[in-house]
Amino acid sequence: MNQSSIPQTGKQNDRAQQDAARAAQDDREQARGEAPRGPLQTDRGTTTLEDTVVAKIAGIAAREVPGVYDMGNAARRAFNAVTDRIPNAQTNVTGGISVEKGETQTAIDVTVVVEYGASIVDVGNAIRRNIIEQVEGTTGLQVVEVNVNVADVHLPDEDAAKPASASSSADLH
């Protein structure tokens, strides 16, 4: 289906206009021999961001999406399960997030576990939309792509099995 035949929301239209204006500005700067500047580079100085800053914002944005049960691959989730039991341990919001960042653009890879019954297509699109909105709005970086990898589907009976086995092992001690 042609992208132009899909109705656009107001935010999507605004973003398209901003992208067009940014591209026109870049063309003018290149014509003058200047390097393209983003919102993080100004005449008065440059703001730099570490990859972990972008990863944290993306991780929080992905977790906000309904249908996302957990983040990361099996090894990451096992590690998080162990660290969650440590008192006063901080939650690792960057688990399941990989970031490639330049001066003005970033690409983000997300690995998630989706709840059974949720539409993987809808959850993936919502993750992509929320990450782009949050990262671009917070950092000023242009998100060129968000790749979503669904590593697993969480089944409802998995939750019911865990407390029963935990309580039976606790009774043995």
Side-chain angles (χ1 to χ4, degrees):
M1 181 176 227
N2 186 336
Q3 188 73 346
S4 62
S5 66
I6 299 173
Q8 302 293 310
T9 65
K11 282 187 177 183
Q12 290 170 327
N13 287 333
D14 290 346
R15 182 162 180 243
Q17 290 173 352
Q18 289 172 349
D19 290 345
R22 189 178 302 139
Q25 177 69 23
D26 290 348
D27 290 343
R28 286 191 299 273
E29 289 173 351
Q30 285 178 348
R32 289 189 301 234
E34 298 175 14
R37 293 171 136 345
L40 298 173
Q41 296 83 27
T42 68
D43 294 337
R44 295 185 164 220
T46 302
T47 302
T48 57
L49 302 170
E50 295 293 323
D51 289 357
T52 55
V53 172
V54 177
K56 282 184 178 184
I57 294 166
I60 292 168
R63 283 173 172 79
E64 291 175 346
V65 174
V68 173
Y69 177 76
D70 204 355
M71 303 280 295
N73 58 21
R76 166 56 63 188
R77 292 192 315 270
F79 178 75
N80 286 347
V82 171
T83 57
D84 285 346
R85 295 182 178 183
I86 299 171
N88 299 326
Q90 291 183 348
T91 302
N92 182 3
V93 295
T94 60
I97 303 288
S98 174
V99 173
E100 292 180 34
K101 184 187 69 61
E103 287 185 24
T104 60
Q105 296 178 329
T106 187
I108 302 166
D109 294 333
V110 183
T111 303
V112 296
V113 176
V114 175
E115 293 177 2
Y116 176 77
S119 167
I120 292 174
V121 172
D122 292 344
V123 171
N125 288 334
I127 289 169
R128 192 171 289 109
R129 187 173 40 253
N130 203 34
I131 287 176
I132 290 169
E133 185 177 299
Q134 293 298 323
V135 170
E136 287 185 349
T138 305
T139 67
L141 292 171
Q142 179 186 15
V143 179
V144 293
E145 69 179 5
V146 176
N147 298 310
V148 179
N149 176 34
V150 179
D152 201 357
V153 173
H154 177 260
L155 303 175
D157 59 335
E158 289 176 354
D159 286 336
K162 286 182 183 178
S165 63
S167 63
S168 64
S169 65
D171 294 339
L172 296 175
H173 290 52

